[in-house]
Amino acid sequence: MNPAPFRALARVVPAAALLLVMTACTDDSPPSAAASSSEPASPQASTAPAATTPTGRTTAMNIRLTLDGHPVAATLNDGPTARDFAAQLPLTLSLRDLNQAEKIADLPRKLSTSGAPEGADPEVGDLAYYAPWNQLATYYRDAPYANGLVILGHMADGGAERLATADEITIEAAP
């Protein structure tokens, strides 16, 4: 089976969904009475959706990577595999280069892949879980679609450049 049409579809569908959400969420109605009240609002749990990355991936948790002593901001997606990964933090892992595109590291235990897609097409800066080998995969160059790959999150700009030469990564919840 030729995976190229699926890769193209996988890139178009999130963009179309984001466009649909953005056009459906416009609000031309007047502000509510609560919004115009002079009384301070009572604290409530936020009902706002989690932030999204430019690729439409929903983010849930800010984390900090340290690559050979240099801090890099990153976010984890809001999914079962990313939450299971976050439960293992903090982690310090030795990195190995794979195919001059990614750095990989063995994880202490397998992560849940419940509800995860069959695979993913990683982008530069992505943090991912490669389930068949129980490894963290971090991308500093473009890499092809891989079965068993689950995107966990994404590094802030500049992280991928640091990653290319790193031998060790520490991952922890952001302060």
Side-chain angles (χ1 to χ4, degrees), residues 50-53 57-65 73-89 91 111 125-129 136-138 150-156 169 171-174:
T52 57
T53 64
R57 297 174 183 178
T58 304
T59 59
M61 179 181 185
N62 291 326
I63 59 173
R64 181 178 52 211
L65 310 178
T75 54
L76 290 180
N77 298 333
D78 185 21
T81 307
R83 285 191 297 269
D84 196 17
F85 177 72
Q88 292 190 27
L89 302 181
L91 288 172
L111 301 179
D126 275 350
L127 307 170
Y129 175 58
L136 175 68
T138 53
V150 180
I151 304 299
L152 299 174
H154 195 80
M155 288 181 263
I169 186 171
I171 309 151
E172 56 195 340

Side-chain angles (χ1 to χ4, degrees), residues 45-134:
S46 173
T47 57
T52 57
T53 64
T55 60
R57 297 174 183 178
T58 304
T59 59
M61 179 181 185
N62 291 326
I63 59 173
R64 181 178 52 211
L65 310 178
T66 304
L67 298 166
D68 288 340
H70 301 282
V72 174
T75 54
L76 290 180
N77 298 333
D78 185 21
T81 307
R83 285 191 297 269
D84 196 17
F85 177 72
Q88 292 190 27
L89 302 181
L91 288 172
T92 298
L93 306 167
S94 295
L95 296 171
R96 299 181 307 278
D97 197 80
L98 184 67
N99 299 325
Q100 297 178 335
E102 64 187 281
K103 296 284 184 148
I104 59 171
D106 297 324
L107 291 174
R109 68 167 173 79
K110 289 188 175 280
L111 301 179
S112 168
T113 56
S114 175
E118 289 184 24
D121 187 4
E123 298 176 4
V124 172
D126 275 350
L127 307 170
Y129 175 58
Y130 187 60
W133 294 349
N134 187 43

